Amino acid sequence: PYTYTLAAESVSSGLPINRPLYLDYPGQAAAYSNPGEYLYGPDVLVAPVTTPGNVSTESVWFPPGRWTDWFTGATFTGPSEQTLTVPLDRMPVFVQDGGIVPEQVAMEHVGARPDAPTILRVYPGAPGRFSLYQDAGDGNGYEHGEDSQTQITTWPSRDGRTTSVAIGSAAGRYPGQPETRSFSVQIERVTAPLAVLIDGRRVPSGGWNYNP
């Protein structure tokens, strides 16, 4: 869903899916001197490994803000340059605070589980916004406005103890659009919550789980 949304945005605006750093950080000199790194959409930073070996040492420049390693959960604050030790089987990928990355559950093919929940990986610490794009998945109906946009926003409380996620209703219609859709919200980099509320109502303890 994240990549599909970026593709739709690229078609409508011309903005590339893989973006050089200077598009989003034109005032940062380091954004021009690190051409090997790129942004994958608005919130994901990728720093490909370019040296041989089973374990590589890479210098990564982080733009302003706090960035979380997608695979390890380690955090880095920019603007800064960090030297990281990276094994061959792991790509240096980072998501900035406020980032929202929609995913689909693992399946053998795209239409295998149409009722499966959309996974929302939310990175707290800053306000974030993502407009999830969806259409029929085939045909040319999207050229005639047959699509939908679902606004997803997240924001922290002033004291940083609460993270809120708002999922709007889908705006727009397309053939085969489901009447209802479920979401699995995964808030990254948090300790076990004291309580979970949906629309202001406290969810019973058996209605949510915490995976450290």
Side-chain angles (χ1 to χ4, degrees):
Y2 184 76
T3 302
Y4 202 66
T5 296
L6 297 182
E9 181 183 52
S10 181
V11 169
S12 63
S13 70
L15 191 66
I17 296 176
N18 292 346
R19 309 171 185 179
L21 300 181
Y22 55 76
L23 279 186
D24 285 55
Y25 302 96
Q28 297 284 329
Y32 300 86
S33 58
N34 289 275
E37 299 179 29
Y38 60 89
L39 292 169
Y40 189 61
D43 299 315
V44 179
L45 173 69
V46 184
V49 173
T50 56
T51 55
N54 290 328
V55 178
S56 173
T57 300
E58 297 291 327
S59 179
V60 178
W61 180 73
F62 290 93
R66 184 168 58 172
W67 299 81
T68 300
D69 189 305
W70 176 274
F71 298 103
T72 69
T75 59
F76 306 88
T77 301
S80 67
E81 190 167 305
Q82 304 286 342
T83 300
L84 307 181
T85 301
V86 184
L88 184 63
D89 61 352
R90 191 175 77 231
M91 174 79 82
V93 178
F94 312 90
V95 185
Q96 67 177 335
D97 279 11
I100 302 170
V101 182
E103 296 181 289
Q104 66 182 30
V105 298
M107 57 183 70
E108 294 181 357
H109 57 85
V110 173
R113 296 180 57 190
D115 59 340
T118 298
I119 300 169
L120 298 179
R121 289 182 66 156
V122 173
Y123 289 77
R129 179 181 297 274
F130 190 86
S131 182
L132 176 64
Y133 173 90
Q134 292 166 304
D135 61 22
D138 55 16
N140 297 323
Y142 70 93
E143 296 179 345
H144 310 290
E146 294 180 357
D147 58 44
S148 74
Q149 300 274 351
T150 302
Q151 297 295 330
I152 305 165
T153 56
T154 178
W155 64 95
S157 61
R158 185 168 299 179
D159 61 9
R161 297 181 61 188
T162 301
T163 297
S164 299
V165 180
I167 304 171
S169 57
R173 300 291 298 177
Y174 59 86
Q177 182 176 7
E179 294 300 321
T180 61
R181 173 167 275 112
S182 60
F183 290 88
S184 173
V185 179
Q186 297 183 4
I187 302 177
E188 305 293 327
R189 208 185 61 235
V190 295
T191 56
L194 298 177
V196 176
L197 293 82
I198 297 180
D199 291 338
R201 296 183 178 182
R202 190 182 184 110
V203 179
S205 57
W208 57 273
N209 63 80
Y210 169 70
N211 184 338

